[in-house]
Amino acid sequence: MSTKIQKIGVLTSGGDSPGMNAAIRSVVRTCAYHKINCVGIYRGYQGMIEGDFKPMDARSVNNIINKGGTVLKSARCMDFRTKEGRSAAHKQLKAEGIDAFVVIGGDGSFTGAMVFNQEYDFPVIGIPGTIDNDIFGTTFTLGFDTALNTVVEVIDKIRDTASSHNRLFFVEVMGRDVGHIALNAGVGAGAEEILIPEEDLGLERLVESLKRSKESGKSSSIVIVAEGDKTGKNVFELKEYVEKHLPIYDVRVSVLGHMQRGGSPSCYDRVLASRMGVKAVEALLEGKTSLMVGIQDNQLILTPLEMAIKGHTKIDKELIRVSDIMTT
Amino acid sequence: MSTKIQKIGVLTSGGDSPGMNAAIRSVVRTCAYHKINCVGIYRGYQGMIEGDFKPMDARSVNNIINKGGTVLKSARCMDFRTKEGRSAAHKQLKAEGIDAFVVIGGDGSFTGAMVFNQEYDFPVIGIPGTIDNDIFGTTFTLGFDTALNTVVEVIDKIRDTASSHNRLFFVEVMGRDVGHIALNAGVGAGAEEILIPEEDLGLERLVESLKRSKESGKSSSIVIVAEGDKTGKNVFELKEYVEKHLPIYDVRVSVLGHMQRGGSPSCYDRVLASRMGVKAVEALLEGKTSLMVGIQDNQLILTPLEMAIKGHTKIDKELIRVSDIMTT
Amino acid sequence: MSTKIQKIGVLTSGGDSPGMNAAIRSVVRTCAYHKINCVGIYRGYQGMIEGDFKPMDARSVNNIINKGGTVLKSARCMDFRTKEGRSAAHKQLKAEGIDAFVVIGGDGSFTGAMVFNQEYDFPVIGIPGTIDNDIFGTTFTLGFDTALNTVVEVIDKIRDTASSHNRLFFVEVMGRDVGHIALNAGVGAGAEEILIPEEDLGLERLVESLKRSKESGKSSSIVIVAEGDKTGKNVFELKEYVEKHLPIYDVRVSVLGHMQRGGSPSCYDRVLASRMGVKAVEALLEGKTSLMVGIQDNQLILTPLEMAIKGHTKIDKELIRVSDIMTT
Amino acid sequence: MSTKIQKIGVLTSGGDSPGMNAAIRSVVRTCAYHKINCVGIYRGYQGMIEGDFKPMDARSVNNIINKGGTVLKSARCMDFRTKEGRSAAHKQLKAEGIDAFVVIGGDGSFTGAMVFNQEYDFPVIGIPGTIDNDIFGTTFTLGFDTALNTVVEVIDKIRDTASSHNRLFFVEVMGRDVGHIALNAGVGAGAEEILIPEEDLGLERLVESLKRSKESGKSSSIVIVAEGDKTGKNVFELKEYVEKHLPIYDVRVSVLGHMQRGGSPSCYDRVLASRMGVKAVEALLEGKTSLMVGIQDNQLILTPLEMAIKGHTKIDKELIRVSDIMTT
């Protein structure tokens, strides 16, 4: 089968993440290197269904390695979850002569790819592009490292003003189901407490801890809160709770929001994207399919999409302990 | 009187802003240059009332020119608004042998300084430190330039993800009474619309403008909203309004908040702070008092505190026009 | 004449500077706003001579306001200094139907524009785009503010390692004939000494000053040197000299080079560029010619190109004094 | 023996790297967590010999996690290579009651620690702090990630101006014996060629490659050169060579130098430092000695110092191949 692949499509799907452009560039150039045609598919599966295609040669991806976002645009696509939608997509791909595709996105995008592969025996490879780092089969997802740097840089700024006024800040970061950003950025930013979806710290313990922190002479406190933290309270409710139960603090709130998805990718994410793009294309050329490229122990590995989707990443217990020790 | 000044106090007061540390450093080193003693007054007027003083020599301000926040801490102080509070402060200053002080802050801080000067004939000079750029008597306040850079850098990141998803973002920036940050950062970030306290654009015009922007083929839209914008709606209400009246957009909101106050100061703010600190100390040594240092046409000028407080800065009509033209 | 202008060309010429893209965008959109055609002229006067033109509409400049460099490319062009070259350029402009142009560049570029205007009565307006801030008729040139931020950010990094090792660094910054970058970035970075083309500090005084700095207990020293500094020694020779005459220091050298020209423009430069582009196009539409747009006291002004070229900017004596006081 | 450890010293040694302060903070706080005393040893082994000690409690390391350089200062120390020097150091440690130490540095620092451990049976643990990533026993050294980001950010700026003028730049990065920075930053920055100490590309192939790059329509070219690259030519000589053999390019040179060592650490380096500090202290408390903490497959591991010193890191062949493919 591998000998038959002449034209590879590439798309970005779901929420965007820094490094997606670097991955697109890598897919395109690896195709060029192997004298294979490459076609950009715009707006994720929606563009696939609508035939929103554009041929891409090596020069078409000049100067995008350092750009945030995705030049191919991205979208969440309901239609691709239906048989009709996938059938339309398949027709468009056939009409364009596309033999295989690489999809850069998260687990929703991979589910679509896997089902499509099953239905049409169509070769697909996934690249994990999401800032949440919540994909099984890779230690790091594309964009996670950049998002962490964005978050700590912003919290460094918030710390400046927090210290100047001896204030307590609740800072909400992304992570509805997983606390990887909160935990890593929390340790990196020297947060006093970190609230994540995986663990219930308990509001009383939070108040106790903040009290201790104040008594120990700290000039400011930053509490990082993942969107989906286990206390069930959002940052505004947490502010109210603490103001009521610990009136010694002047409390402020900051919700970082979508800035976490943007920005020029870090060197790590650019290199990872470049490596993954090569691996994805070459896996297709070797006749492999329905796999996701991941990184483990600094080596690229391939994991069945099915496992990538069903598996769960675990929060790092050692890092939680480090976080506790750091707030001594 | 000038010959009698032997010891100068320096304090930061009100909301902190980037460049305050550079200004403290400058005041301290200018004192050292003129063989005058310098004393740091902690936590604004509160620390003055409590006698929270620390002598500062030239070396004590090493390596702070590039730090955000204020090493002297800052606070808003209710007690200094009372006769008793100011009397306590005066006793503390006398006990410490402080002959004059430089206060770095905004108009509230200047009002306190002016009243104190009137009551005790105590030499005071103000340096305008606030990100809002809302002080009469200076074209730029300390921290404004840095805050603008912080805002445009964050909006550049938001633009990445907005473009990737063809989204509309409402981004709230600081400015309860004045739109300087919103207008300048809006032009700098290439915003489609800018809502400020000084002008009522009208919600209908906003909707019209966004509609036109979409039709013209723009891939994303950013609307900058000052906290106190004239529409009377906050960013969340604006989102709702637009979603209802212009359902073609996928709308998101971002509230930048306190990160705007922090961060390492820009070169401009560091240089301005250094210049203002020299001018403030030397004005005191020349026997001047109750004045604010400002910058106009790149020259330092002195304005009576009374005028600085009562005067109003005006929004730049030319820049509003530039902003309109840029959204063509 | 003004009524006849239907098509305006825009070019960037000479060394590039951050903010040039923002200025191009502004010229293009101001043309669109006034329903005038706009044509991009590539590679400066060289592209004008070769007819390297491309029509630009409002959408063609999307998402470039925050990009360093120039999308129109730039070049230094010898041919335009000859009558033949300018004649060829004039023919190309006529053939394309271009009635006037805006040139973004430095004094060399303005000289070409002025001569061309004299020879062909062709309407031209200049926008000062150079990091050197060496153009008469404007307090700030486009790119100067960004370059200063780039320099202080890099020196902040160098300071980290200098402090850790108690080292002395000579850091060379751009400025062959003028010391504006060196002086401003030097004050902003807290440099111990600043060597500029305009003043001869003298090598002995330098050694004396560094000796005093060491004795005063400073943990590191940074000396900023403009390329064309008056001592006549480059940074490597200065290192040798100081190592010989002041062997108490471990000395290192850093030449910042071309990174100073790049990078995303600061908010100030983006706003300035946007304002200047509007002014330039509207000046042409009002029938004005052979003028340069400048900024003074935060207002846009127009200066004859001849004066802009012949005039000299002066180094700020007050800032030199501030610099001296800061090293106390 | 482990039960006897009551006081742990911590020092930074050799060239500084971003993340050293975060590691110091972690060592100090982990000691506080375990109710062990901690003593800062200034200026590396030199300060150990001279008894330049200062007790450090948990609060003494507030707000340093995000600072470049090292608050303990660093130095290269010849005296510690002698028996007399080490004997003096041992006396000082005993006098201070220090039972064990953690040294943050590179292989030279580890050699000293290992010898000292052998001679005095003194418990020591190493943390690999160097930007070069050249230590066996860890996939990443502290500071490597930050240095890569610094390099790609600077090259992004150089690319701006290179593209505007269609220029070729030779950019020298650190790495006398190893090409890890050059290779990773080269891939991250999208360099056209990367010259490293481990491989001899050959000057002819370089010229061929640059010629091909020009012909393929690239607007600029960046060649990254490690200090110790195999061609034996430095960047200035390479410039001359290429200008002579490939006169189609306008060539420039940039030597990045010491800025690569400074700057606020990336989130990755801050987290890694925090984890390594905990591991180092707890290894000592468990009675372990003469080991280095490393990270492999995102898990902390311990490697005998002897192996860390003697082992060699290998350049990543897969990444060289990725680099080649990316320049298609």
Side-chain angles (χ1 to χ4, degrees):
Chain A
M1 160 160 258
S2 66
T3 55
K4 286 186 290 181
I5 292 182
Q6 307 271 339
K7 197 183 271 191
I8 290 176
V10 57
L11 68 155
T12 49
S13 169
D16 63 318
S17 75
M20 280 186 161
N21 280 328
I24 294 165
R25 172 180 178 268
S26 176
V27 168
V28 170
R29 295 220 170 144
T30 307
C31 287
Y33 178 84
H34 288 291
K35 322 276 190 220
I36 299 293
N37 291 309
C38 189
V39 173
I41 301 169
Y42 282 75
R43 293 176 297 119
Y45 292 119
Q46 197 61 44
M48 192 186 280
I49 290 171
E50 299 173 13
D52 194 355
F53 301 144
K54 197 155 100 182
M56 300 183 87
D57 66 6
R59 290 292 70 70
S60 71
V61 289
N62 279 0
N63 294 323
I64 68 168
I65 192 172
N66 61 339
K67 301 291 185 294
T70 157
V71 295
L72 291 177
K73 310 276 177 180
S74 189
R76 288 193 169 78
C77 173
M78 287 301 144
D79 293 347
F80 200 72
R81 299 191 185 182
T82 67
K83 251 190 157 4
E84 294 71 28
R86 291 190 297 273
S87 168
H90 186 247
K91 275 177 202 144
Q92 294 281 10
L93 292 172
K94 284 287 120 186
E96 183 75 15
I98 296 172
D99 305 313
F101 68 76
V102 176
V103 57
I104 307 161
D107 51 8
S109 309
F110 294 162
T111 303
M114 186 184 66
V115 173
F116 190 77
N117 168 263
Q118 288 164 352
E119 287 178 352
Y120 295 100
D121 192 22
F122 199 94
V124 299
I125 296 282
I127 290 177
T130 163
I131 62 168
D132 290 331
N133 208 35
D134 60 346
I135 308 284
F136 181 85
T138 191
T139 310
F140 299 113
T141 56
L142 265 190
F144 178 57
D145 185 64
T146 304
L148 292 181
N149 284 331
T150 299
V151 172
V152 297
E153 281 167 26
V154 168
I155 298 180
D156 285 352
K157 290 189 212 285
I158 292 175
R159 174 82 69 185
D160 285 339
T161 183
S163 297
S164 299
H165 290 274
N166 295 335
R167 274 176 181 154
L168 165 64
F169 270 84
F170 286 100
V171 180
E172 186 189 286
V173 300
M174 285 194 165
R176 230 175 281 274
D177 305 309
V178 290
H180 298 297
I181 291 180
L183 182 55
N184 281 273
V187 171
E192 273 66 37
E193 284 294 343
I194 302 166
L195 306 183
I196 54 177
E198 290 88 346
E199 291 230 333
D200 192 354
L201 177 71
L203 287 169
E204 283 175 37
R205 218 204 88 174
L206 174 66
V207 167
E208 269 316 299
S209 154
L210 290 173
K211 208 170 149 187
R212 230 176 19 247
S213 168
K214 185 84 170 187
E215 288 163 3
S216 82
K218 287 202 182 180
S219 64
S220 65
S221 288
I222 308 278
V223 178
I224 309 288
V225 186
E227 283 168 302
D229 98 276
K230 205 73 175 189
T231 64
K233 291 194 187 293
N234 69 30
V235 278
F236 299 98
E237 295 161 347
L238 285 168
K239 174 184 192 296
E240 261 184 57
Y241 185 90
V242 167
E243 283 177 330
K244 192 175 159 196
H245 292 83
L246 196 66
I248 54 175
Y249 270 108
D250 182 16
V251 191
R252 292 289 188 281
V253 160
S254 189
V255 177
L256 299 198
H258 280 78
M259 72 184 74
Q260 296 167 81
R261 290 199 183 285
S264 182
S266 67
C267 185
Y268 185 84
D269 276 331
R270 298 183 194 189
V271 172
L272 183 60
S274 302
R275 294 171 70 183
M276 285 181 163
V278 170
K279 185 76 172 180
V281 170
E282 299 194 338
L284 285 173
L285 296 182
E286 289 162 13
K288 290 171 182 154
T289 186
S290 213
L291 300 168
M292 184 194 78
V293 182
I295 186 136
Q296 197 184 291
D297 194 10
N298 211 22
Q299 303 296 320
L300 296 177
I301 56 168
L302 293 166
T303 301
L305 285 178
E306 192 173 2
M307 284 176 62
I309 296 158
K310 290 196 181 152
H312 289 285
T313 58
K314 282 188 201 144
I315 201 76
D316 190 338
K317 294 281 179 190
E318 176 232 327
L319 194 49
I320 291 180
R321 188 167 173 269
V322 166
S323 161
D324 285 345
I325 295 175
M326 288 306 102
T327 59
T328 302
Chain B
M1 159 161 259
S2 67
T3 54
K4 286 186 292 182
I5 291 183
Q6 307 272 338
K7 196 183 268 191
I8 290 176
V10 57
L11 67 155
T12 49
S13 169
D16 64 318
S17 74
M20 281 188 161
N21 280 327
I24 294 166
R25 172 181 178 268
S26 177
V27 167
V28 170
R29 294 221 169 144
T30 308
C31 286
Y33 178 83
H34 288 291
K35 320 275 190 222
I36 300 292
N37 291 309
C38 188
V39 173
I41 301 169
Y42 282 75
R43 293 176 297 121
Y45 292 120
Q46 197 61 44
M48 192 186 280
I49 290 172
E50 299 173 13
D52 195 355
F53 301 144
K54 197 155 97 183
M56 299 182 88
D57 66 8
R59 290 291 71 71
S60 70
V61 289
N62 280 1
N63 294 321
I64 68 167
I65 191 172
N66 62 340
K67 301 290 184 294
T70 156
V71 294
L72 291 178
K73 308 277 177 179
S74 188
R76 288 192 169 78
C77 173
M78 287 300 145
D79 294 346
F80 200 73
R81 299 192 185 181
T82 66
K83 251 189 158 3
E84 295 70 30
R86 292 190 297 272
S87 167
H90 187 248
K91 276 176 198 143
Q92 295 281 9
L93 292 172
K94 284 288 119 187
E96 184 76 15
I98 296 172
D99 306 312
F101 67 76
V102 176
V103 56
I104 307 162
D107 51 9
S109 309
F110 293 163
T111 304
M114 186 183 67
V115 173
F116 190 77
N117 169 261
Q118 289 163 350
E119 288 177 350
Y120 296 99
D121 191 23
F122 198 93
V124 299
I125 296 282
I127 290 177
T130 163
I131 63 168
D132 290 330
N133 208 34
D134 60 346
I135 308 285
F136 180 86
T138 191
T139 309
F140 299 113
T141 56
L142 265 191
F144 178 57
D145 185 64
T146 304
L148 292 181
N149 284 331
T150 298
V151 172
V152 297
E153 280 167 26
V154 168
I155 298 179
D156 285 352
K157 289 189 211 285
I158 293 174
R159 175 83 68 185
D160 285 339
T161 184
S163 297
S164 300
H165 289 275
N166 295 335
R167 276 177 180 153
L168 165 64
F169 270 84
F170 286 99
V171 180
E172 185 190 287
V173 300
M174 284 192 164
R176 230 176 280 276
D177 305 308
V178 290
H180 299 297
I181 292 180
L183 182 55
N184 281 272
V187 171
E192 273 66 37
E193 283 294 343
I194 301 166
L195 306 183
I196 54 177
E198 290 87 346
E199 290 232 331
D200 192 355
L201 177 71
L203 288 169
E204 281 174 38
R205 218 204 88 173
L206 173 66
V207 167
E208 269 316 299
S209 155
L210 290 173
K211 209 171 150 186
R212 233 179 13 249
S213 168
K214 184 84 171 185
E215 288 163 3
S216 82
K218 288 203 180 178
S219 64
S220 65
S221 289
I222 308 278
V223 178
I224 309 289
V225 187
E227 282 168 304
D229 98 277
K230 205 72 174 191
T231 65
K233 290 195 188 291
N234 68 29
V235 279
F236 298 98
E237 294 161 347
L238 285 168
K239 174 185 192 298
E240 262 185 57
Y241 185 89
V242 166
E243 283 177 330
K244 193 175 158 195
H245 292 84
L246 195 67
I248 55 175
Y249 270 108
D250 182 18
V251 192
R252 292 289 188 283
V253 160
S254 190
V255 177
L256 299 197
H258 279 77
M259 72 186 73
Q260 295 167 81
R261 290 199 183 285
S264 181
S266 67
C267 185
Y268 185 84
D269 276 331
R270 297 183 195 189
V271 171
L272 183 60
S274 301
R275 294 171 71 183
M276 285 181 162
V278 171
K279 185 76 173 179
V281 170
E282 298 194 338
L284 285 173
L285 296 183
E286 290 161 11
K288 290 172 182 155
T289 186
S290 214
L291 301 167
M292 184 194 77
V293 182
I295 185 136
Q296 197 183 290
D297 194 11
N298 212 22
Q299 303 296 320
L300 296 178
I301 56 167
L302 294 166
T303 301
L305 285 178
E306 192 173 1
M307 284 176 62
I309 296 158
K310 290 196 182 153
H312 287 286
T313 58
K314 282 189 203 146
I315 201 76
D316 189 339
K317 294 282 179 190
E318 176 232 329
L319 193 50
I320 291 179
R321 187 167 174 270
V322 167
S323 161
D324 284 345
I325 295 175
M326 288 306 103
T327 59
T328 303
Chain C
M1 159 157 261
S2 69
T3 55
K4 289 187 288 182
I5 291 183
Q6 307 271 340
K7 196 183 270 191
I8 290 176
V10 57
L11 68 154
T12 48
S13 169
D16 63 318
S17 74
M20 281 188 162
N21 279 327
I24 294 166
R25 172 181 178 267
S26 177
V27 168
V28 170
R29 294 220 169 144
T30 307
C31 286
Y33 179 84
H34 288 290
K35 320 276 191 221
I36 300 292
N37 290 310
C38 189
V39 173
I41 301 169
Y42 282 74
R43 294 176 296 119
Y45 292 119
Q46 197 61 45
M48 192 185 281
I49 290 172
E50 299 173 15
D52 194 356
F53 302 143
K54 198 156 99 181
M56 300 182 87
D57 67 6
R59 289 292 71 69
S60 70
V61 288
N62 279 1
N63 294 323
I64 67 167
I65 192 173
N66 61 340
K67 301 292 185 293
T70 158
V71 294
L72 291 178
K73 309 277 177 178
S74 189
R76 289 192 169 79
C77 174
M78 287 300 144
D79 294 346
F80 200 71
R81 299 192 185 181
T82 67
K83 252 190 156 6
E84 295 70 30
R86 291 190 298 273
S87 168
H90 187 248
K91 276 176 199 142
Q92 295 281 9
L93 292 172
K94 284 288 119 186
E96 184 75 15
I98 296 172
D99 305 312
F101 67 77
V102 176
V103 57
I104 307 161
D107 51 8
S109 309
F110 293 164
T111 303
M114 188 184 67
V115 172
F116 190 77
N117 168 263
Q118 289 164 351
E119 287 178 351
Y120 295 101
D121 192 22
F122 198 93
V124 298
I125 296 282
I127 290 177
T130 163
I131 62 169
D132 290 331
N133 208 35
D134 60 346
I135 308 285
F136 181 85
T138 191
T139 309
F140 299 113
T141 56
L142 266 191
F144 178 58
D145 186 63
T146 304
L148 291 182
N149 284 331
T150 299
V151 172
V152 296
E153 282 167 26
V154 169
I155 298 180
D156 285 353
K157 289 189 212 285
I158 292 175
R159 175 82 69 186
D160 285 340
T161 184
S163 297
S164 299
H165 290 274
N166 296 334
R167 275 177 181 153
L168 164 64
F169 270 83
F170 286 99
V171 179
E172 186 190 284
V173 300
M174 284 193 166
R176 230 175 280 275
D177 304 308
V178 290
H180 298 297
I181 291 180
L183 182 56
N184 281 272
V187 170
E192 273 66 36
E193 284 294 345
I194 302 167
L195 306 184
I196 53 176
E198 290 88 345
E199 290 231 331
D200 192 354
L201 177 71
L203 288 169
E204 282 174 37
R205 217 203 91 175
L206 174 67
V207 167
E208 270 316 299
S209 155
L210 290 172
K211 208 170 151 188
R212 231 174 22 246
S213 169
K214 185 84 170 186
E215 286 163 3
S216 83
K218 288 203 180 180
S219 64
S220 65
S221 290
I222 308 278
V223 178
I224 310 289
V225 186
E227 282 168 302
D229 98 276
K230 205 72 177 189
T231 64
K233 290 194 186 293
N234 69 28
V235 279
F236 298 99
E237 294 161 346
L238 286 168
K239 175 185 192 296
E240 260 184 59
Y241 185 90
V242 167
E243 282 177 331
K244 192 175 158 195
H245 293 83
L246 196 67
I248 54 175
Y249 270 108
D250 182 16
V251 192
R252 291 289 188 281
V253 160
S254 190
V255 177
L256 299 197
H258 280 77
M259 72 185 75
Q260 296 167 80
R261 292 201 182 283
S264 182
S266 68
C267 185
Y268 184 84
D269 276 331
R270 298 184 194 188
V271 171
L272 183 61
S274 302
R275 295 171 70 184
M276 285 181 163
V278 172
K279 185 76 172 179
V281 170
E282 299 193 338
L284 284 173
L285 295 182
E286 290 162 11
K288 289 171 183 156
T289 186
S290 212
L291 300 168
M292 184 194 76
V293 183
I295 185 134
Q296 197 183 292
D297 195 11
N298 212 22
Q299 303 296 319
L300 296 177
I301 56 168
L302 293 166
T303 301
L305 285 178
E306 192 173 1
M307 283 177 63
I309 296 159
K310 290 197 181 151
H312 287 286
T313 58
K314 282 189 201 143
I315 202 74
D316 190 339
K317 295 281 180 190
E318 176 231 329
L319 195 49
I320 292 180
R321 187 167 174 268
V322 167
S323 160
D324 284 345
I325 295 176
M326 288 307 103
T327 58
T328 304
Chain D
M1 161 161 256
S2 68
T3 54
K4 287 186 289 181
I5 291 182
Q6 307 270 338
K7 196 183 271 189
I8 290 176
V10 57
L11 68 154
T12 48
S13 168
D16 63 321
S17 74
M20 280 188 161
N21 280 327
I24 293 166
R25 171 182 179 267
S26 177
V27 168
V28 170
R29 295 219 170 145
T30 307
C31 287
Y33 178 85
H34 288 291
K35 320 275 190 219
I36 300 292
N37 290 309
C38 189
V39 173
I41 301 169
Y42 283 74
R43 292 175 297 120
Y45 292 120
Q46 197 62 45
M48 192 185 280
I49 290 172
E50 299 173 13
D52 194 355
F53 302 143
K54 196 155 99 183
M56 299 183 88
D57 66 7
R59 289 293 69 71
S60 70
V61 289
N62 279 1
N63 294 322
I64 68 167
I65 192 172
N66 61 341
K67 301 291 185 293
T70 158
V71 295
L72 291 178
K73 310 277 179 177
S74 189
R76 288 193 169 79
C77 173
M78 287 300 144
D79 294 346
F80 200 72
R81 300 191 184 182
T82 67
K83 252 191 156 7
E84 294 71 29
R86 291 190 297 273
S87 168
H90 187 247
K91 276 176 199 142
Q92 295 281 9
L93 292 171
K94 283 289 120 186
E96 183 75 15
I98 296 172
D99 305 313
F101 68 77
V102 176
V103 57
I104 307 162
D107 51 9
S109 309
F110 294 163
T111 303
M114 187 184 67
V115 173
F116 190 78
N117 169 263
Q118 289 164 350
E119 288 178 349
Y120 295 100
D121 193 23
F122 199 93
V124 299
I125 295 283
I127 290 177
T130 163
I131 63 167
D132 290 331
N133 209 34
D134 60 346
I135 308 284
F136 181 85
T138 191
T139 309
F140 299 113
T141 56
L142 266 190
F144 178 57
D145 185 64
T146 304
L148 291 181
N149 284 331
T150 298
V151 172
V152 297
E153 282 167 25
V154 168
I155 298 179
D156 284 353
K157 290 189 211 283
I158 293 174
R159 175 82 70 185
D160 285 339
T161 185
S163 297
S164 300
H165 290 275
N166 296 334
R167 276 177 180 152
L168 165 63
F169 270 84
F170 286 99
V171 180
E172 185 189 285
V173 300
M174 284 191 165
R176 229 176 281 276
D177 305 309
V178 291
H180 298 298
I181 292 180
L183 182 56
N184 281 273
V187 171
E192 273 66 36
E193 284 295 343
I194 302 166
L195 306 184
I196 54 177
E198 291 87 346
E199 290 230 332
D200 192 355
L201 177 70
L203 288 169
E204 282 174 38
R205 218 204 91 175
L206 173 66
V207 167
E208 269 316 298
S209 156
L210 290 172
K211 208 171 150 188
R212 231 178 17 249
S213 169
K214 184 85 171 185
E215 287 162 4
S216 82
K218 288 202 178 178
S219 64
S220 65
S221 289
I222 307 279
V223 178
I224 309 289
V225 187
E227 283 168 303
D229 98 277
K230 205 71 175 191
T231 64
K233 291 196 187 291
N234 70 28
V235 278
F236 298 98
E237 294 161 347
L238 285 168
K239 175 184 192 296
E240 262 183 59
Y241 185 89
V242 167
E243 282 178 330
K244 191 175 159 196
H245 292 83
L246 196 67
I248 54 175
Y249 270 107
D250 181 17
V251 192
R252 291 289 188 281
V253 160
S254 190
V255 177
L256 299 197
H258 280 78
M259 71 185 73
Q260 296 168 80
R261 291 199 182 285
S264 182
S266 68
C267 186
Y268 185 84
D269 276 330
R270 297 183 194 189
V271 171
L272 184 60
S274 302
R275 294 171 71 183
M276 285 181 163
V278 171
K279 186 75 172 180
V281 170
E282 298 193 338
L284 285 173
L285 296 182
E286 289 161 12
K288 290 171 182 155
T289 186
S290 212
L291 301 167
M292 184 194 77
V293 182
I295 186 135
Q296 196 183 293
D297 196 10
N298 211 23
Q299 303 295 320
L300 296 177
I301 55 167
L302 294 166
T303 301
L305 285 178
E306 192 173 2
M307 284 177 62
I309 297 158
K310 290 196 183 153
H312 288 284
T313 58
K314 282 189 203 143
I315 201 76
D316 189 339
K317 294 281 179 190
E318 176 231 330
L319 194 49
I320 292 180
R321 188 168 172 268
V322 166
S323 160
D324 284 344
I325 295 174
M326 289 307 102
T327 59
T328 303

